[in-house]
Amino acid sequence: MNGLNLIDICAGYGKKEVLRNITLSVEQEKITAIIGPNGAGKSTLLKVITGFLKPTQGSVWLDGREVTASAPHERVKAGVAYFMQGGRVFPSLTVSENLEMGCMRLSPDQRKKNTATVLELFPNLKDMLKRRSGLLSGGERQALALGMVLVSRPRYLLLDEPSAGLSPRLVREALDKVEKINKNWKLTVLIAEQNVRAALGIAHRVCALANGQVVKETEKPEEWLSDGSLEQLFLGIGQGKP
Amino acid sequence: MLPQLIANGLVMGCSYALVALGFALIYNTTRTFHFAHGGVYVLSAYLLYTFRNLWGIPLVPAAILTLLLIAFLGVAIDEVLYRPLVKRGSSQPIQMLSSLGLYIVIINLIAMFYGNETKMLSPGVQPTYTVGHIILARTQIVTAVTFVVLFVSLLFLLRKSRMGKTIRALRDDPELVSASGINARFFRWSVFALGSVLAGVAAILAGLDVGIDPNIGMTALLSGAVAVIIGGVGVFEGAALGGIALGLLQSLAIWQTSARWQDMVTFVVLIVFLLFRPQGLFGIRRRAEEMAG
């Protein structure tokens, strides 16, 4: 069982169950988008995969190895990178130190090489390496957060709402980067996104979540933009039709 | 007389600064108002008393053994008390009350086993050294030197080492530290161990200088906490300088009044800072976005 697989996952917070019996295979080297209305369980799903939330039932498999009980930092070592909602960075550390945190467990040579690659990808960060990251603008901070997860050269990239709080132009730029990285680095990407049109624009496969369950999947996302599937999912329009 | 009081104040400040550094390290990194730090302080002094005075172990090995045990105790407090509370989502006041409760338990257990009377760790008269008009006891000189060495080492550790950067990152966002592939729990343990060792060193030196009793912990803790506020919460070097400033102020207060007003000076300083400069001497006013992020 290669790649990233979830089998019969149930998870929640306290007594509140958010995910119900989710089984999902994330295809390698492709972009899979998880879409769904607020509270559907998109972020919770990513937390289960990254180990920040332990499922009450089911298992998480990574490259044929069960990682359900592994701590988050162990999953990062196994190649999973997690871009947390809001583009979180360490505000009291400089941009350079933030990037260093992202690849601290690697050898000095590897760190240097990976940092140079990330700075090529986000050239605007080059001029602000010594600046405290708490002073960055929203867009700059988002770029740094993405750089921090990429600097470890992961095999799986999990993105939780990378477009949140960004202007339409910056959303396009951020998702273009994700698409480029997926192609050039052969990276497997799982993206949870509320900006559905933007997500469908780059995804190879889309899973729609509602009430903690996968309600619809497609490998032809572009069709969803025209056939009314999105309205049905988000507004309930068309449900119950013969 | 004034130079002697200044020298005494500086040495007393060094002792406060050691406690403050330990307290600040733990508070700034984990946001835990560690009342039990006072208990760790008292227990360190009594462990040394047990090893050295009761069991006859020489001072240096006894001190090393004490500090090792106290480092372990710091980690144990986090694991047994704070971590379950944090996991359960308990509020800051609940954590503070639990910590205060643990402090009281430690103090009472010590009083039960050792009694309430003052015990001398270093019986007899200490050798003194005279420089001009200033006379300093050997322990005072050791306290000042130890503080300088530990302060510089700690600054180097926090500013230059990978461990220091991780500790600073842990202060900003522990979840993000884990998401960066770093074992955040190990570094949290390190912070509690190191903070406790700093309190232990201060307790051992103060105990050798003036003796110990079960109540020395609260004074040390309050002085340390006030030093952190004077220096600026979130600024490690500020805590040390705040401790020295407090020691000097207390010593100068003795010059003008009497030793029994020392604690009043501590709290007047605390109130003045909270009212007029809550960010402390070296605190940074952060942008609202940073606080939120």
Side-chain angles (χ1 to χ4, degrees):
Chain A
M1 196 158 44
N2 276 334
L4 174 60
N5 294 281
L6 305 181
I7 299 172
D8 198 26
I9 290 287
C10 292
Y13 306 95
K15 286 182 182 169
K16 191 187 172 200
E17 195 176 47
V18 178
L19 300 178
R20 298 181 184 91
N21 308 100
I22 293 218
T23 295
L24 180 73
S25 288
V26 178
E27 211 176 321
Q28 286 193 298
E29 298 178 16
K30 295 278 163 73
I31 300 176
T32 302
I34 307 284
I35 61 166
N38 260 338
K42 303 183 296 291
S43 295
T44 305
L45 184 69
L46 295 195
K47 282 183 184 170
V48 168
I49 297 171
T50 50
F52 282 99
L53 184 68
K54 295 272 177 280
T56 51
Q57 183 192 303
S59 54
V60 181
W61 296 76
L62 198 62
D63 298 330
R65 194 168 67 89
E66 191 181 352
V67 294
T68 320
S70 304
H73 71 275
E74 288 166 346
R75 298 192 199 193
V76 177
K77 282 177 191 162
V80 177
Y82 179 30
F83 175 96
M84 301 167 104
Q85 204 172 41
R88 278 152 70 172
V89 298
F90 300 112
S92 68
L93 268 55
T94 62
V95 168
S96 164
E97 286 172 333
N98 268 280
L99 289 173
E100 195 185 337
M101 289 299 297
C103 57
M104 198 165 259
R105 63 202 167 74
L106 305 179
S107 68
D109 281 352
Q110 198 64 53
R111 284 209 298 270
K112 210 172 164 185
K113 197 176 146 199
N114 291 6
T115 306
T117 311
V118 163
L119 290 177
E120 268 172 38
L121 205 57
F122 301 100
N124 58 330
L125 293 180
K126 275 184 195 167
D127 301 328
M128 47 187 84
L129 287 173
K130 297 285 167 210
R131 191 183 299 175
R132 196 153 57 81
S133 66
L135 301 172
L136 301 180
S137 70
E140 290 164 347
R141 194 172 357 184
Q142 202 84 344
L144 175 60
L146 202 48
M148 282 168 69
V149 294
L150 292 172
V151 78
S152 63
R153 289 304 294 257
R155 287 179 300 119
Y156 298 91
L157 176 61
L158 275 59
L159 300 158
D160 193 359
E161 307 263 1
S163 71
L166 296 183
S167 67
R169 184 179 62 84
L170 289 175
V171 170
R172 194 61 254 160
E173 275 180 27
L175 294 180
D176 281 349
K177 294 262 195 239
V178 172
E179 200 172 15
K180 192 175 158 191
I181 295 158
N182 162 254
K183 271 187 195 145
N184 296 347
W185 294 15
K186 308 276 181 216
L187 196 66
T188 305
V189 179
L190 182 64
I191 177 170
E193 185 56 71
Q194 265 206 342
N195 188 334
V196 177
R197 286 180 189 280
L200 295 188
I202 63 163
H204 301 109
R205 183 169 164 235
V206 180
C207 294
L209 280 190
N211 295 320
Q213 289 177 309
V214 177
V215 290
K216 212 166 179 171
E217 287 182 70
T218 182
E219 293 195 352
K220 291 177 180 168
E222 61 282 355
E223 287 182 0
W224 281 17
L225 290 168
S226 54
D227 69 1
S229 296
L230 295 178
E231 286 80 358
Q232 190 181 329
L233 175 68
F234 283 88
L235 304 171
I237 297 169
Q239 278 179 354
K241 276 186 180 176
Chain B
M1 188 178 176
L2 184 61
Q4 181 66 53
L5 283 172
I6 289 174
N8 288 347
L10 284 172
V11 173
M12 192 157 60
C14 289
S15 184
Y16 291 160
L18 283 172
V19 181
L21 279 173
F23 183 81
L25 191 62
I26 292 170
Y27 181 75
N28 291 345
T29 311
T30 69
R31 296 284 170 235
T32 306
F33 198 97
H34 187 36
F35 263 117
H37 200 55
V40 168
Y41 180 91
V42 183
L43 195 59
S44 306
Y46 276 87
L47 280 174
L48 185 78
Y49 172 76
T50 308
F51 296 145
R52 187 182 183 220
N53 299 52
L54 301 183
W55 296 359
I57 300 174
L59 178 62
V60 173
I64 291 170
L65 187 58
T66 298
L67 295 177
L68 283 174
L69 283 174
I70 228 62
F72 178 76
L73 177 75
V75 175
I77 291 174
D78 183 42
E79 275 297 298
V80 176
L81 187 66
Y82 300 136
R83 199 161 170 268
L85 288 172
V86 170
K87 223 173 168 183
R88 209 175 296 162
S90 302
S91 63
Q92 285 276 351
I94 297 283
Q95 291 178 39
M96 266 172 78
L97 271 177
S98 311
S99 188
L100 182 62
L102 178 64
Y103 166 77
I104 292 168
V105 168
I106 293 174
I107 299 312
N108 279 288
L109 284 174
I110 288 173
M112 198 187 291
F113 283 106
Y114 294 92
N116 273 318
E117 68 281 5
T118 301
K119 298 196 184 314
M120 298 312 292
L121 284 180
S122 187
V125 181
Q126 284 188 53
T128 55
Y129 303 88
T130 307
V131 182
H133 296 291
I134 301 168
I135 303 167
L136 288 173
R138 186 172 59 191
T139 312
Q140 286 184 299
I141 293 169
V142 173
T143 301
V145 172
T146 306
F147 163 72
V148 171
V149 170
L150 287 177
F151 179 53
V152 172
S153 309
L154 194 66
L155 270 192
F156 180 80
L157 177 90
L158 291 172
R159 295 260 170 261
K160 300 291 174 196
S161 74
R162 286 164 70 185
M163 184 181 183
K165 280 175 198 161
T166 310
I167 288 173
R168 282 159 54 212
L170 197 62
R171 171 179 63 182
D172 281 348
D173 192 335
E175 224 176 33
L176 188 56
V177 169
S178 295
S180 304
I182 296 162
N183 187 348
R185 198 166 163 190
F186 168 79
F187 282 94
R188 195 178 152 105
W189 286 351
S190 308
V191 164
F192 271 92
L194 191 54
S196 302
V197 164
L198 288 166
V201 170
I204 288 170
L205 291 168
L208 288 168
D209 192 24
V210 294
I212 59 174
D213 69 64
N215 300 310
I216 54 173
M218 191 48 90
T219 311
L221 173 72
L222 289 177
S223 303
V226 172
V228 171
I229 291 167
I230 294 175
V233 175
V235 189
F236 291 105
E237 49 272 56
L241 298 174
I244 290 174
L246 187 63
L248 269 176
L249 277 172
Q250 286 190 349
S251 195
L252 294 175
I254 295 172
W255 182 36
Q256 292 297 328
T257 57
S258 95
R260 63 192 168 130
W261 301 115
Q262 269 187 340
D263 285 346
M264 189 194 74
V265 171
T266 307
F267 287 100
V268 167
V269 169
L270 173 68
I271 291 165
V272 167
F273 267 87
L274 287 178
L275 283 175
F276 300 108
R277 200 172 164 83
Q279 76 273 31
L281 290 173
F282 306 98
I284 307 162
R285 282 187 183 274
R286 291 183 188 278
R287 298 194 317 173
E289 297 95 307
E290 289 185 65
M291 303 302 279

